[in-house]
Amino acid sequence: NEFIVINVFHWLGGWGLNYGIVILILTLLLKVILFPIAYKTYTSSAKMRVLKPEIDEINEKFKGKDAVKKQQATMDLYKKAGVNPLAGCVPMLLQMPILFAIFRFFPSSIELRQKSFLWAHDLSSYDSILDLPFNIPLYGDHVSLFTLLMTISTLIYTKVNNDMMGSSSSQMPGMKTMMYLMPIMFLGMFNSYAAGLSYYYFLANMITFLQMYLIRQTIDEDKIHAKLQANKKKPIKKSKFQQKMEEMAKQRGMDPKQL
């Protein structure tokens, strides 16, 4: 915030633009910076989708049997194909500092106070479009439209992302359920937060949809499938750590295959 977000925000605000437009431009700039990470994440999910039929075969083969062997067979497939199932998670973690920064920035930004945009009369406060005659626990007594739009777009993104991840999401049903519950929890938490924050997250989701569409046009899953099949025919390269462990096992008279 101190070295990037605030400076860019002040620079854009100096042009005399409405702060709703300033947030839009700021969101576009951040998404452009994060585009390589988004591309890496999508490429990883494409590899997982390509391997889904083979993962389904493994799941069917070990259905009701040893879960450890099923997991081992799955990891062997990933290893032979040269796919890291966690490759899509690491890029997402790299975005967390920016997400936390934005979460802290908008509610405390003095510049947004009393600044209106569309139906929001004050971007530093919630944008109520309907005052309820009663209070809903963990939600409030009003309906904030930007928060509602943010929640709906996040649920859609979660559905699309789960469909993209394919096999990996099906192996973690508990995590999949949590991914749908989180946006509902945020609906209550963000309902009384700054409208500028919900507006930013809504814009970020919409730009992400556009990025996903554009990236999908450039990725050929048939070529990815052919490359993964070719990787399976190559000898598996052992890491230096694994080579060292095997050498130690041989020195102690152990079978390296047991490692």
Side-chain angles (χ1 to χ4, degrees), residues 151-241:
T151 301
I152 294 173
S153 61
T154 304
L155 288 172
I156 295 174
Y157 172 76
T158 301
K159 176 64 168 62
V160 173
N161 191 54
N162 282 335
D163 291 342
M164 286 170 48
M165 293 302 292
S167 59
S168 61
S169 62
S170 64
Q171 295 182 55
M172 299 182 292
M175 181 63 69
K176 186 175 180 180
T177 302
M178 181 59 66
M179 291 174 67
Y180 282 105
L181 288 177
M182 288 298 289
I184 304 300
M185 294 170 59
F186 286 147
L187 175 63
M189 185 175 72
F190 279 69
N191 193 55
S192 296
Y193 254 61
L197 180 63
S198 299
Y199 171 53
Y200 164 80
Y201 284 136
F202 169 65
L203 288 176
N205 285 339
M206 300 309 296
I207 296 173
T208 298
F209 291 145
L210 177 61
Q211 286 183 338
M212 290 169 60
Y213 173 78
L214 294 176
I215 294 174
R216 194 161 191 169
Q217 305 308 309
T218 63
I219 291 181
D220 189 336
E221 293 192 2
D222 291 333
K223 289 184 178 180
I224 292 178
H225 181 266
K227 184 177 180 179
L228 295 184
Q229 296 304 315
N231 289 343
K232 291 165 65 175
K233 298 178 182 179
K234 298 178 182 179
I236 300 176
K237 294 183 179 180
K238 297 179 180 179
S239 64
K240 292 183 178 180
F241 176 76

Side-chain angles (χ1 to χ4, degrees), residues 99-116:
L99 293 177
F100 283 123
I102 294 298
F103 182 80
R104 294 288 302 275
F105 173 70
F106 284 111
S108 60
S109 177
I110 298 177
E111 291 82 359
L112 294 181
R113 294 182 182 179
Q114 305 301 317
K115 300 297 182 180
S116 63

